Amino acid sequence: MSPEKYCEDKTRGSGSSFFYAFLFLSPEKRRAMMALYAFCREVDDIADEIKEKEVAVRKLVFWQEEIDRVFEGVARHPVGKELMWTLAHYPIEKSMFTEMIEGMLMDVSGKPIVTDEDLNLYCYRVAGVVGLMSIAVFGFTQEASKTFALRMGDALQLTNILRDVHEDTKIERIYLPQQIRAKFKVTDHDIRQGFTDHEEANANLKALMQHYYDKAEQAYADALKALPAEDRKSLTPSLMMGAIYYAHLAKLKKVNFDVWQHPARLTPLKKIWVAWKAYRYEKKAVKKGLPLRLDF
């Protein structure tokens, strides 16, 4: 199997929302994005699936060494080899890959997220840098587009955290910061258990979820505000990804944040429908100067 096919299979098999935005890219950009996403999947799977901390750390060290080899032109792994092709075509900084691995090490370490600052750092490492790598492929001319990418990364990751808050407890992770949960009087047990027949605990949990829902909404708004008109056309794929995740956020609201009983998931058909509507809207909007939007 060729490195390109390996990365395509890795991306296609993940069921990620990103895949549906990739379908609308040119073949060259799609190939690059699948290489980047395959790398993200490789390191993320280590953090999520390998229970032995020492084994997970060793595997992440391998990936840091592989990134070194990628930049030296001597990669060994199929994903590394495909990243060599990507770097030959698009300017992506080595530090971005290192930050992503550091984010996975935060997961593997088991160290709790205590403050909003901890959460912000985590979001930057696992999502913000992905946004920066993505716009390097899509193309941009304005420095403000980096702010767009970072805030969109924050928005997507906060959406993920809210959507997966119940699933993450199964691997002993809670990303909602301890200090903020204490203010809302929400315990680890409350997060694991979800909504029950205890009215006060339910109200506290719902208020906490609403708090981070509002932060996600603000991050989406900040991202759109930061996007320069000059880069709107080239960064349409980022807007398509944002639209798909915004649909997840809307579903969270629709189920009243009770993801314990009603998982806020979108079907593949819904994802491709949202991506298509966002793509069609942007093709028209760029020409006519219509406002940016994510609600499709």
Side-chain angles (χ1 to χ4, degrees), residues 27-85:
E28 189 173 81
K29 290 184 178 181
R30 183 166 60 247
R31 179 177 177 180
M33 288 305 300
M34 287 188 177
L36 292 173
Y37 187 79
F39 164 75
C40 293
R41 277 263 52 89
E42 291 285 349
V43 295
D44 193 57
D45 287 348
I46 291 168
D48 286 350
E49 296 175 5
I50 297 180
K51 294 180 172 57
E52 297 84 0
K53 185 183 297 187
E54 291 183 2
V55 175
V57 169
R58 283 201 302 272
K59 286 182 175 290
L60 289 172
V61 168
F62 163 82
W63 276 106
Q64 184 56 69
E65 292 170 345
E66 179 69 353
I67 292 302
D68 291 339
R69 289 189 288 268
V70 167
F71 279 82
E72 293 165 3
V74 291
R76 300 175 186 171
H77 193 280
V79 172
K81 292 177 180 177
E82 194 65 1
L83 287 175
M84 284 171 49
W85 178 91

Side-chain angles (χ1 to χ4, degrees), residues 182-208:
K183 290 180 181 178
F184 284 89
K185 299 180 181 178
V186 173
T187 66
D188 288 10
H189 177 73
D190 294 331
I191 294 288
R192 293 189 182 95
Q193 186 171 243
F195 292 99
T196 63
D197 55 1
H198 193 291
E199 290 185 10
E200 183 179 354
N202 287 353
N204 293 342
L205 181 55
K206 184 176 179 181
L208 175 68

Side-chain angles (χ1 to χ4, degrees), residues 68-104:
D68 291 339
R69 289 189 288 268
V70 167
F71 279 82
E72 293 165 3
V74 291
R76 300 175 186 171
H77 193 280
V79 172
K81 292 177 180 177
E82 194 65 1
L83 287 175
M84 284 171 49
W85 178 91
T86 301
L87 292 174
H89 292 79
Y90 302 101
I92 301 171
E93 297 176 13
K94 184 178 181 180
S95 62
M96 299 293 98
F97 297 97
T98 299
E99 290 285 2
M100 184 73 185
I101 292 169
E102 288 294 331
M104 297 304 103

Side-chain angles (χ1 to χ4, degrees), residues 192-239:
R192 293 189 182 95
Q193 186 171 243
F195 292 99
T196 63
D197 55 1
H198 193 291
E199 290 185 10
E200 183 179 354
N202 287 353
N204 293 342
L205 181 55
K206 184 176 179 181
L208 175 68
M209 296 284 281
Q210 180 71 56
H211 175 74
Y212 281 99
Y213 173 94
D214 292 342
K215 287 178 78 72
E217 280 267 29
Q218 188 60 55
Y220 283 113
D222 290 346
L224 296 187
K225 186 177 179 180
L227 178 59
E230 296 91 336
D231 289 338
R232 180 174 180 175
K233 183 177 180 180
S234 65
L235 298 184
T236 291
S238 293
L239 292 169

